[in-house]
Amino acid sequence: LAKTTQPISMDSYEGQEVNITCSHNNIATNDYITWYQQFPSQGPRFIIQGYKTKVKNEVASLFIPADRKSSTLSLPRVSLSDTAVYYCLVGVRGNYNTDKLIFGTGTRLQVFP
Amino acid sequence: EAGVTQFPSHSVIEKGQTVTLRCDPISGHDNLYWYRRVMGKEIKFLLHFVKESKQDESGMPNNRFLAERTGGTYSTLKVQPAELEDSGVYFCASTPRQGDSPLHFGNGTRLTVT
């Protein structure tokens, strides 16, 4: 599984857009990029997954450039409840090893009023 | 749909005692995983069940840890005897298909060994 690098922490204010970038220089051809969110005293929660270009759901958008060596999770108009740790993971879809998640340190997002 | 549930939410025991953690996966999810985060460290994989069979237990730290999933439904993780370094949060997760669907995590059991 490819190693990922993310900023340790980020601060934002309510209503702003937050972009968290993850580097995965050694991503393999078959690897997908997945983001999880974790609130204090809870387990990680799946946010979004993508392979290339752009993916969007009701919670976030995921931007992946053509070389796929990085990805950016975009959270539109954050609120205080978006304060959490965000993890970027890469792995091969369809391969059980993908479920052997390697979480890394994640990015701790703090949203201020 | 009920999520993954874990019991207890907190457990405080003394070194040398035994503790059993329980996980109830989402109904119908054949794949069940245990992860843990010890103090100051990252979340690490412990093991993976497919139904009642252990598919991968490469992350189990030592033989003081015993995981079971009799009948392929709920799972237990027993620590016997507990040591101070076992303190941390133990997460359980489940998924219906290997490698093709996100993992659904429970809220974890916070274990404190004194």
Side-chain angles (χ1 to χ4, degrees):
Chain A
L1 297 171
K3 178 179 170 58
T4 61
T5 303
Q6 307 174 231
I8 295 294
S9 64
M10 294 182 69
D11 292 336
S12 182
Y13 292 93
E14 282 191 292
Q16 290 188 331
E17 177 184 77
V18 171
N19 297 308
I20 305 174
T21 297
C22 176
S23 297
H24 27 79
N25 292 319
N26 297 323
I27 191 168
T29 302
N30 294 332
D31 281 344
Y32 277 72
I33 300 155
T34 308
W35 286 78
Y36 281 80
Q37 173 192 54
Q38 185 179 25
F39 298 113
S41 300
Q42 294 187 20
R45 182 174 73 106
F46 171 83
I47 303 176
I48 196 166
Q49 182 182 72
Y51 183 78
K52 63 180 180 180
T53 62
K54 177 183 175 181
V55 180
K56 183 178 180 181
N57 61 25
E58 65 278 5
V59 176
S61 297
L62 180 59
F63 299 93
I64 305 168
D67 66 6
R68 304 199 326 121
K69 293 184 182 299
S70 66
S71 59
T72 299
L73 175 73
S74 182
L75 305 173
R77 298 180 298 282
V78 294
S79 64
L80 296 177
S81 62
D82 292 316
T83 294
V85 178
Y86 293 82
Y87 295 97
C88 162
L89 304 98
V90 297
V92 178
R93 189 166 178 174
N95 182 334
Y96 92 92
N97 279 316
T98 298
D99 298 335
K100 198 170 170 178
L101 303 179
I102 300 176
F103 275 87
T105 57
T107 297
R108 185 174 299 277
L109 172 66
Q110 179 68 54
V111 179
F112 295 96
Chain B
E1 169 183 84
V4 176
T5 57
Q6 294 187 244
F7 182 84
S9 57
H10 294 83
S11 180
V12 181
I13 62 173
E14 293 182 353
K15 176 182 173 181
Q17 289 186 322
T18 298
V19 64
T20 300
L21 314 180
R22 172 170 170 147
C23 169
D24 286 78
I26 293 173
S27 178
H29 283 196
D30 288 343
N31 296 276
L32 186 149
Y33 308 81
W34 285 96
Y35 285 77
R36 76 170 180 175
R37 188 212 306 273
V38 295
M39 187 65 69
K41 299 290 182 62
E42 298 160 7
I43 300 173
K44 293 290 179 86
F45 167 86
L46 294 178
L47 85 158
H48 169 207
F49 282 99
V50 178
K51 296 184 181 180
E52 67 277 4
S53 300
K54 294 176 185 174
Q55 172 136 349
D56 183 348
E57 52 184 326
S58 61
M60 294 287 265
N62 51 60
N63 59 10
R64 296 185 293 103
F65 289 76
L66 175 64
E68 295 181 319
R69 193 183 181 195
T70 305
T73 54
Y74 71 90
S75 174
T76 58
L77 180 64
K78 179 189 289 188
V79 185
Q80 178 183 30
E83 297 289 343
L84 298 178
E85 64 264 25
D86 300 331
S87 295
V89 183
Y90 290 77
F91 293 103
C92 175
S94 70
T95 185
R97 297 175 301 279
Q98 293 181 22
D100 194 32
S101 54
L103 268 61
H104 300 263
F105 283 83
N107 287 333
T109 293
R110 180 174 295 278
L111 174 65
T112 302
V113 183
T114 62

